[in-house]
Structures are given as C-alpha cells and as structure tokens.
Amino acid sequence: MRWNRVRRAGAQRPGNRVVIAGLGDTGVLTAIKLAKHADVVGISAKPGLVSGQELGWRLARPDDWARHNWIPFGRFRGLDRVRAVHGTLTAVDLVARTVAVQLPDGSTTDVGYDTLVISTGVTNGFWRQPTLQTEAEIGTDLRAPHERLAAAKSVIVIGGGAAAVSSAANIATTWPDKRVDLYYPGDRALAEHHPRTWEKVRHRLTEAGVGLHPGHRADLPPGFTGDELTADPVQWSTGQPAASADAVLWAIGRVRPNTDWLPAVLLDEQGFVRVTPELQVPGHPEVFAVGDVAATDALRSSARNRADGLIAHNVLAASAGKSLRSYRPPRSRWGSVLGIQPNGLEVFAPNGKAFRFPAWTFERVLMPWIVKWGIYRGVRGD
C-alpha cells in the first residue's frame, strides 16, 4: 500500500471519489469491490487489516490467528489501486464533502469525497479498539493477553455471545490443565443464534471441560466497559456468591460505535449510523454506512452477511443514477462460533444446522483458495 504517496486535500483524481472511512473486515472488502470502478481512498487507524473476528482463536493461538487475520494492506492485491491514509478520523464536513484526518505526526489533512462509506465499526473489549497503532504496537496487543492467560491457572469468561463462548472453548482446549468457567445471564448462551446452534456448542464446551453457569449477570460499577483482563472477584447482581479466578475475561457485548467524529444528525439514540434499507444515510444520498457501525437491524448484521457486495453495487448505481438494492438481514446470527479446531471448522447456518470443513481443508483449501483468492482476490506472501 502506497502510504507515502497519499495526496493532500485538493489533489483529487477526476471521476467518482469514494472515501471509505474504516478499513476493518467490511471496509477492506468494500474497497476491493470498488477499486476497479472508482477512485477509492481508504482511511484506517491501523497499517493493515486487524480483524475483529475469532476472539477465542486470537487469545489462545495468536500467531496462528495473525497469519490469517492481521494482514498489512500492501499484501492485498485487490487494494493495489486504493490509496490509503493512516490516521484517525476527527470530523466530516457534509457540505464541503470532506473528512478530516489526524496523521501519525499530529498534523491534520482533509480528504475530499463524492461518496462517503462509513465502516468505522465498534469498540468492544481490548480486542477491538480504534486507537492509532503501528505494526509493533499491534503485535504487543496480540501477545500480552495471551501471555496473561497462559500464566493463569483459572479463567472466568463472562458473556453469552459468540466471543465469550469461543474464548472459553479455545482457552480450555489450548490449556486443558486450566479451570475455565463460562458465566452468562440467560438460560442459554448464544441467544441471538438459533437454539439448535447452542445445543451443539454446549456439547462442545462440556467436552472441553468448561464449567457452564447460566443465570449469572455481573454487577458492574458505573462506567465499567471490560476493556481489559481483571483479577478481582466478580460480584453478581443475580444474587449468587462471588466468583474468583486468576484472570477474568469480559466479553459482555458492551460495544460502542466509533462515531465520535460524526455529527449527531447522522446517528440514532445509541450512536450508530442511521441507514435506509439501501444502506444510505437518510437525507444524505452520497453517504452510506455498512458493518457494525450501521443501524441496519437489531443485530447490525451487515458486518457478517457480506453486505460489502451490496454496498459496492449501490455506491456505483447511485453515482450512475440507477436503482439500488435493499439489504435484508437474517433472523438469526450464523457462521463459525468456535473457530478452527483440531477436528476442523464447524459453521452454523441461520437455522442452526452445522456443516464441517475437515481440518486438512482449512489451510489447503478454505483459507488459500476460498478466502484469500475468492473473497480477498489475492493475498501476497503466503
């Protein structure tokens, strides 16, 4: 990626300038889809894709996780035509159609757009933070929690979503001598998945030796976000005795949208970007939003349902005066929950039925051919 050739404000190439604000999982895919059809500029606080997916795999086996989920932008063949700005978004001028970016040296530049795609995602725990980082700092962030968990004899995981369930399972299978307990507030975890999914995953957790504790809701002090591992006893607002462990992982789903740089007129009451079914921002047809930051539905599911293709189509269609397509969210979450395991990768459909990729296909077929060539259109250095 040509980081040293980013053009300052006013130096625009003719044609449809599309600025993609945020180059996470969805932003990168959107940029790849648009790169052959428009002048695309991507803005990112990281020097590469640092995926927010597969937390359990990241914590338990960070080196393996990084090979597939921490990829410098220059390795993506599909981004060769995309110009990148490494910096932090600070403001948008909807009239002048510019975004302001603070660069690593502290200076600020304005980047003009004809179309703006907001894909800045959310903050969630220590693994999804919008802070400006170098490659070395990302490496440190990957190693530190892994080493903390490796040294712990007992681990508590709090939360009922996929991040919590995956973390408990992967910690238990990587370090079978540890005591690992999963606490969640409902009768079952994975409440946003089909019940059939939880039944299968519950069996996997039990096999791995994870202690399951339904009906436990943590008593959190005001302002607590769970953005770091802790070691203090956990108190429960549901009345159970306090629980203790050497390390406590908070995966409680307290996501905060990365929208501080946007005016309130674009946001809903929770701070997510309001969108139409076509993923346009109401009143601003030149502004789109996609991914976890977009208020598409209760699950904000466009991040996990390949809406990058739809939004790329709509951006190009809008600029050409053609009809746009609508996003239709699924009723339940779907996909992998536990990530790659010694016996393969299990993926759950929205109806809770599972299909498995054998372990040997993951490195030989799924990642190199389906993901890196089929989805990302080529990744160098493998």
Side-chain angles (χ1 to χ4, degrees):
M1 192 61 85
R2 297 168 291 180
W3 293 97
N4 59 340
R5 296 178 61 186
V6 173
R7 299 179 186 178
R8 297 276 174 150
Q12 298 185 25
R13 209 169 69 191
N16 182 23
R17 161 71 68 85
V18 180
V19 168
I20 299 178
L23 290 176
D25 293 290
T26 306
V28 164
L29 291 170
T30 302
I32 290 172
K33 291 285 196 310
L34 288 169
K36 291 184 178 180
H37 308 284
D39 176 12
V40 180
V41 178
I43 300 170
S44 174
K46 318 296 182 188
L49 170 62
V50 183
S51 176
Q53 305 301 311
E54 305 288 3
L55 176 61
W57 186 15
R58 170 176 169 159
L59 292 171
R61 305 185 305 279
D63 293 335
D64 291 339
W65 180 91
R67 284 195 298 112
H68 300 299
N69 294 284
W70 156 217
I71 306 173
F73 292 134
R75 291 180 55 196
F76 290 98
R77 297 179 187 274
L79 294 180
D80 284 349
R81 300 186 185 191
V82 176
R83 288 173 290 149
V85 181
H86 186 200
T88 302
L89 289 149
T90 59
V92 60
D93 187 326
L94 296 170
V95 176
R97 295 193 182 184
T98 61
V99 293
V101 185
Q102 185 173 5
L103 303 175
D105 63 6
S107 64
T108 301
T109 187
D110 291 335
V111 181
Y113 64 84
D114 298 301
T115 303
L116 175 64
V117 177
I118 301 168
S119 57
T120 44
V122 296
T123 295
N124 185 16
F126 55 80
W127 57 94
R128 298 183 71 181
Q129 294 285 328
T131 50
L132 188 70
Q133 287 185 304
T134 64
E135 290 190 16
E137 289 168 337
I138 292 170
T140 298
D141 273 2
L142 290 177
R143 297 300 306 176
H146 168 79
E147 292 171 357
R148 172 90 180 267
L149 291 169
K153 294 182 179 179
S154 56
V155 178
I156 285 175
V157 181
I158 302 175
V165 169
S166 170
S167 297
N170 280 277
I171 291 168
T173 55
T174 300
W175 296 291
D177 58 329
K178 296 186 190 303
R179 191 193 83 222
V180 180
D181 291 281
L182 175 66
Y183 292 83
Y184 45 95
D187 293 333
R188 67 179 180 93
L190 301 180
E192 295 174 344
H193 291 69
H194 193 281
R196 192 180 291 122
T197 300
W198 169 239
E199 286 305 309
K200 292 180 181 296
V201 172
R202 181 179 60 82
H203 180 67
R204 306 280 185 268
L205 292 167
T206 302
E207 284 184 328
V210 176
L212 302 179
H213 306 273
H216 285 68
R217 185 177 297 277
D219 188 7
L220 306 178
F224 181 80
T225 59
D227 286 351
E228 61 182 16
L229 293 169
T230 61
D232 295 332
V234 181
Q235 307 292 332
W236 308 105
S237 62
T238 40
Q240 297 90 347
S244 298
D246 294 334
V248 180
L249 171 63
W250 301 84
I252 52 179
R254 289 205 164 185
V255 300
R256 289 96 69 196
N258 297 323
T259 54
D260 290 347
W261 60 287
L262 293 172
V265 68
L266 303 186
L267 310 178
D268 67 9
E269 294 180 354
Q270 289 74 44
F272 296 92
V273 181
R274 294 184 296 114
V275 292
T276 68
E278 294 74 32
L279 303 182
Q280 284 179 304
V281 174
H284 296 275
E286 77 285 358
V287 182
F288 293 76
V290 68
D292 287 315
V293 77
T296 52
D297 58 287
L299 301 181
R300 297 185 305 280
S301 60
S302 68
R304 288 158 291 278
N305 288 281
R306 295 308 309 276
D308 52 283
L310 183 143
I311 200 167
H313 170 273
N314 285 356
V315 165
L316 297 174
S319 66
K322 298 180 179 180
S323 60
L324 278 60
R325 298 172 183 168
S326 296
Y327 174 70
R328 295 178 175 83
R331 295 182 179 179
S332 301
R333 289 199 188 276
W334 67 280
S336 166
V337 175
L338 303 182
I340 182 64
Q341 299 294 303
N343 61 350
L345 177 69
E346 197 168 36
V347 178
F348 295 91
N351 64 5
K353 293 185 178 180
F355 55 96
R356 181 184 298 278
F357 293 92
W360 68 268
T361 66
F362 185 79
E363 293 288 354
R364 298 182 190 178
V365 178
L366 180 62
M367 294 309 299
W369 296 107
I370 296 178
V371 175
K372 292 185 177 179
W373 274 108
I375 295 177
Y376 288 126
R377 299 185 182 177
V379 179
R380 301 180 180 91
D382 290 330

